[in-house]
Amino acid sequence: MPPKGLHALASVQELLSKIGFRPAVLWIPTTLAAFAAVFEALSLALLLPATQASISMDFKSLRNSELFIFLFQFFTRLEALADTSLFLLLLSAIFTAVLVKILLVYFAAAAFARQVHILSSRLRSSLFKRTISSGKLYFDQVNSGQIPHVIL
C-alpha cells in the first residue's frame, strides 16, 4: 500500500490532467517574475552609489564607483558629463529599473491569474458535467452529504 502522501499526489495529478493543466503554461509568468527579480537587483545595485553620493554630497565619488568605471569602458561619452549629470543619469536609471520591475511583476501576476481563471473554469465545468451525468436515480438513493466523495 503506497504512503498517503503519494496517494494524495497521484489524486492531484489525476485531477490536473482531467482539467487539462499543462505545466508549460507557467513558463511565461515564471520568466517574467525572474526578470523582475533581475531588475530589482539592478535597482538596488544602482541605489548604493546614489545613496553614498547623496549622503556625502560628493558627486565626484560616482566616477570612482565600480559601476561607472565599468560603464566608462563601453560608453566613453559618459566621461564628458558633469558630476551632477552623472548623478541624474544614475537616478533616472534607478527609476527606469524600478518601473520595468513593477511592470514585469504586474504582467507576471496577470498571466498567472489568467491561468488560474482558466483552470478554475475548467474544474467547475468538469464538476458540473460529472454531477449532471449522475442521473436522477442517484440523487434519489444517496444522501447529499456523500456527493463530494463521488464527484472527485
Side-chain angles (χ1 to χ4, degrees):
M1 181 172 184
K4 287 185 179 184
L6 292 178
H7 179 67
L9 184 62
S11 297
V12 169
Q13 284 179 333
E14 180 183 350
L15 176 65
L16 290 176
S17 67
K18 282 183 182 179
I19 61 173
F21 174 72
R22 295 180 323 268
V25 297
L26 296 179
W27 279 107
I28 292 173
T30 303
T31 304
L32 289 173
F35 279 121
V38 168
F39 277 96
E40 176 76 17
L42 177 65
S43 67
L44 289 176
L46 293 174
L47 195 58
L48 289 174
T51 306
Q52 289 172 349
S54 296
I55 291 173
S56 67
M57 295 302 288
D58 179 26
F59 299 127
K60 290 182 183 181
S61 65
L62 287 177
R63 292 189 182 277
N64 298 330
S65 70
E66 294 177 21
L67 171 70
F68 279 105
I69 291 172
F70 177 74
L71 288 177
F72 289 154
Q73 293 173 357
F74 297 104
F75 305 106
T76 55
R77 289 184 154 188
L78 287 178
E79 289 185 81
L81 291 176
D83 295 333
T84 54
S85 297
L86 277 177
F87 183 71
L88 290 176
L89 178 69
L90 184 59
L91 289 181
S92 64
I94 293 169
F95 177 77
T96 304
V98 169
L99 184 65
V100 169
K101 184 217 48 144
I102 290 171
L103 289 173
L104 287 172
V105 167
Y106 173 77
F107 286 123
F112 188 73
R114 182 176 185 275
Q115 291 304 319
V116 168
H117 176 74
I118 289 170
L119 291 175
S120 65
S121 176
R122 288 180 185 169
L123 180 63
R124 264 188 257 112
S125 176
S126 175
L127 288 174
F128 183 73
K129 287 177 186 175
R130 183 98 184 242
T131 304
I132 295 301
S133 68
S134 298
K136 183 182 174 206
L137 182 62
Y138 172 78
F139 289 105
D140 288 342
Q141 295 175 348
V142 176
N143 185 1
S144 63
Q146 297 176 352
I147 290 177
H149 299 293
V150 172
I151 291 176
L152 295 177

